[in-house]
């Protein structure tokens, strides 16, 4: 699920002291905020949803939760965690959704194209999921997700657009 602002706002969700962000963590900061999501399923069926991404664990991880209501009324949701692994020099991500196998991925950032790309480890069935999140600007992310079987045949694909929700003005001011 993900992806121009340098580090995004400091999240009030994580009150711990905030160490300076490394350049790699600043990339993850691009995802921090509230989002609306438009997902296009195969066959051009479109659904909409919302998401929230925040810093956790002293700004060393981001946590992302997205919820989408499908046309049949079923709630689809997922939780993702992202971090930078300085030893392996790679981004690491984890995704979990009710009713699906958890997914662990490694990812890379291409600053020239503004694209965050990840490839999952094969799951118990041998399925691999590849995703790309391209920042159009600080407020719009176009993304694709494709899952492939052991034979590299595409089993599932989605594409979507996430749009940042502007922060609400402080009611006390």
């Amino acid at each position: 699920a993900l992806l121009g602002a340098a580090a995004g706002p400091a999240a009030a969700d994580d009150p711990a002291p905030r160490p300076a962000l490394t350049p790699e963590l600043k990339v993850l900061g691009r995802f921090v905020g509230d989002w609306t999501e438009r997902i296009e399923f195969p066959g051009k069926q479109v659904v909409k949803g919302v998401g929230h991404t925040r810093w956790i664990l002293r700004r060393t991880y981001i946590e992302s939760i997205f919820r989408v209501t499908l046309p049949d009324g079923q709630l689809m949701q997922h939780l993702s965690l992202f971090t930078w692994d300085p030893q392996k020099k790679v981004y690491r991500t984890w995704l979990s959704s009710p009713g699906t196998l958890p997914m662990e991925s490694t990812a890379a950032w291409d600053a020239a194209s503004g694209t965050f790309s990840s490839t999952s480890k094969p799951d118990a069935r041998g399925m691999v999921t590849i995703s790309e999140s391209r920042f159009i600007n600080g407020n719009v992310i176009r993304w694709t997700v494709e899952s492939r079987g052991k034979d590299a045949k595409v089993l599932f694909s989605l594409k979507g657009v996430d749009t940042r929700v502007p922060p609400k003005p402080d009611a006390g001011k």
Side-chain angles (χ1 to χ4, degrees), residues 77 121 137:
Q77 56 187 358
K121 291 182 177 180
N137 57 45

Side-chain angles (χ1 to χ4, degrees), residues 46-65:
V46 174
V47 298
K48 295 181 180 180
V50 296
H52 175 71
T53 302
R54 67 183 183 140
W55 287 108
I56 61 171
L57 302 174
R58 298 189 67 224
R59 295 194 327 168
T60 57
Y61 284 74
I62 59 171
E63 173 191 70
S64 180
I65 299 174

Side-chain angles (χ1 to χ4, degrees), residues 78-89:
H78 68 265
L79 165 71
S80 301
L81 297 173
F82 299 73
T83 194
W84 171 252
D85 182 335
Q87 284 77 37
K88 294 185 179 181
K89 302 216 179 297

Side-chain angles (χ1 to χ4, degrees), residues 26 32 64 77 161 165 167:
K26 286 181 181 180
V32 173
S64 180
Q77 56 187 358
V161 176
V165 176

Side-chain angles (χ1 to χ4, degrees), residues 37-49 67-78 100 143-145 155-161:
E37 185 165 62
R38 180 183 183 278
I39 302 171
E40 186 177 312
F41 286 85
K44 306 293 182 191
Q45 184 176 22
V46 174
V47 298
K48 295 181 180 180
R67 293 176 179 86
V68 175
T69 302
L70 301 175
D72 65 4
Q74 181 181 357
L75 178 65
M76 179 178 76
Q77 56 187 358
H78 68 265
T100 65
W143 54 265
T144 60
V145 175
L155 303 173
F156 186 75
S157 66
L158 292 175
K159 62 182 177 179
V161 176

Side-chain angles (χ1 to χ4, degrees), residues 101 122-127 150:
L101 295 172
D123 70 12
R125 301 164 295 188
M127 186 174 75
K150 286 182 184 178

